[in-house]
Amino acid sequence: PVAILAQDFRFGLTAMSSDAPAAAPDTRADAEHWKKLGNDKLKEGNKTGYISAVECYTRGIAACGSDASKLRSQLHSNRAHVNILLRKFVDAVDDCRKAIAADPTNIKPYWRGARASHFLSLFQQASEFCESGLQVDSSNDELIKLKTAAEKELQAVKARRETASASKPEYNPQEAMELKGKINDLEDRIDNMKMLAHGKERDRRRMALTIQHVTSEDIKDSRLFRPVGRCFLLTSGDSLVEQFNAECKAIVEELPKLQAAIQDLESRKDKTQNELLEMMRGGSAK
């Protein structure tokens, strides 16, 4: 008999009127496999092992399902760690930002991002990573040490600038380029946060539609299945509705926090833009 009445591809919900077997890729198991393999390669402690570890973590990220945010964060954080060992500090910072976006409670990408920024002499960025991480874990010794070191370097940079400013009123083109680079970085982060918020809202709407579909009269008496590993598990409409309602509630609570983070980034971007404009008005380059 005809089996499929409707299907929600985002959440893997399928309403069926037969017991036809089906299979679904176990993406989380694949991602976990690549993560373990990457960890094993990392333990080899040499450049060849590190390069292999990066490849494993990259494959794990590609295998992650859309609902495996914590695992995705761990994979990005692990790849950042290896990129630091390979002295690919820019790539490490990028991975740390993605790890934090996927799971803001994962503390490791904060201090790994701070370390990579420190190696790049981006001490303000290192301090910002630490400040954000300390909002998650205020007593983290590693973050406190890194923040202290970054602030010490910032004071030294400030002192050098003040000394240079006394003898050379003209602005430094290199410093102007650094400010422009920071503006571009903030714009990228704002775009990423907006995309994350948009994806959360899209997921909430899809779940709401799925709830409406599950509770409709059309499939009230149909058999409902959800993918678990490489097979489908028979489940009830009530349990699905309860789960989706809980997930919708979590998203509704998270969205205002994302909007607040976006506003904070936009405020910092405006401040940096003003700083650049003031520098440009201060004089011409030699």
Side-chain angles (χ1 to χ4, degrees):
V2 176
I4 299 177
L5 294 179
Q7 186 173 40
D8 185 323
F9 292 98
R10 166 61 180 82
F11 297 102
L13 170 65
T14 306
M16 293 185 173
S17 59
S18 75
D19 297 323
D26 192 353
T27 55
R28 184 179 183 88
D30 290 341
E32 290 281 9
H33 164 76
W34 287 114
K35 176 187 171 185
K36 182 181 182 303
L37 190 57
N39 292 344
D40 292 340
K41 292 294 182 182
L42 175 61
K43 292 175 184 177
E44 293 179 7
N46 54 54
K47 186 174 182 180
T48 301
Y50 297 157
I51 294 173
S52 297
V54 168
E55 176 63 22
C56 290
Y57 294 140
T58 300
R59 294 195 178 202
I61 291 167
C64 264
S66 58
D67 60 340
S69 57
K70 289 186 180 295
L71 178 57
R72 183 184 298 276
S73 176
Q74 292 166 8
L75 286 161
H76 275 296
S77 179
N78 288 1
R79 191 170 68 176
H81 173 53
V82 182
N83 277 327
I84 290 174
L85 295 175
L86 292 171
R87 304 191 67 78
K88 295 182 178 181
F89 303 122
V90 174
D91 291 341
V93 169
D94 182 60
D95 267 325
C96 288
R97 295 200 192 284
K98 291 176 179 177
I100 293 168
D103 179 14
T105 64
N106 184 2
I107 201 66
K108 289 184 179 180
Y110 292 102
W111 54 262
R112 284 172 177 166
R115 283 189 61 207
S117 299
H118 199 102
F119 280 120
L120 292 168
S121 297
L122 298 175
F123 305 117
Q124 181 61 43
Q125 180 171 284
S127 179
E128 290 170 0
F129 267 114
C130 293
E131 288 176 3
S132 298
L134 288 170
Q135 292 178 11
V136 179
D137 181 2
S138 60
S139 61
N140 188 280
D141 291 337
E142 187 72 21
L143 287 173
I144 293 172
K145 291 177 183 177
L146 286 169
K147 187 174 186 294
T148 301
E151 289 177 345
K152 183 178 179 179
E153 293 290 348
L154 282 172
Q155 290 298 323
V157 171
K158 182 179 179 181
R160 289 195 297 269
R161 286 180 177 176
E162 289 175 349
T163 301
S165 177
S167 58
K168 296 197 300 183
E170 293 80 8
Y171 79 93
N172 187 328
Q174 181 62 35
E175 293 180 3
M177 290 178 63
E178 290 177 0
L179 285 175
K180 181 59 179 174
K182 184 175 180 180
I183 292 170
N184 291 339
D185 178 67
L186 286 168
E187 288 176 344
D188 288 341
R189 292 171 64 185
I190 290 169
D191 289 340
N192 289 336
M193 291 294 286
K194 286 182 177 179
M195 289 177 61
L196 179 62
H198 176 74
K200 295 285 186 182
E201 176 60 20
R202 181 185 58 203
D203 289 348
R204 185 194 66 79
R205 291 179 180 178
R206 285 180 173 174
M207 280 190 284
L209 289 174
T210 301
I211 292 171
Q212 182 180 357
H213 179 66
V214 169
T215 55
S216 69
E217 292 294 330
D218 292 341
I219 65 167
K220 184 177 180 181
D221 298 324
S222 299
R223 299 166 66 84
L224 300 176
F225 295 83
R226 277 185 62 86
V228 177
R230 299 184 180 276
C231 63
F232 281 106
L233 179 66
L234 178 65
T235 187
S236 68
D238 290 341
S239 65
L240 289 173
V241 170
E242 181 180 357
Q243 177 184 346
F244 289 160
N245 278 329
E247 291 181 17
C248 285
K249 181 180 178 182
I251 290 174
V252 169
E253 292 175 351
E254 184 179 2
L255 284 175
K257 298 178 183 178
L258 289 174
Q259 293 299 332
I262 291 170
Q263 291 177 3
D264 177 64
L265 289 172
E266 289 178 336
S267 175
R268 286 159 55 186
K269 186 191 78 170
D270 292 341
K271 182 179 178 181
T272 306
Q273 286 177 328
N274 290 335
E275 185 179 350
L276 178 59
L277 288 173
E278 288 298 323
M279 179 184 292
M280 295 177 69
R281 291 186 186 125
S284 59
K286 286 186 176 180

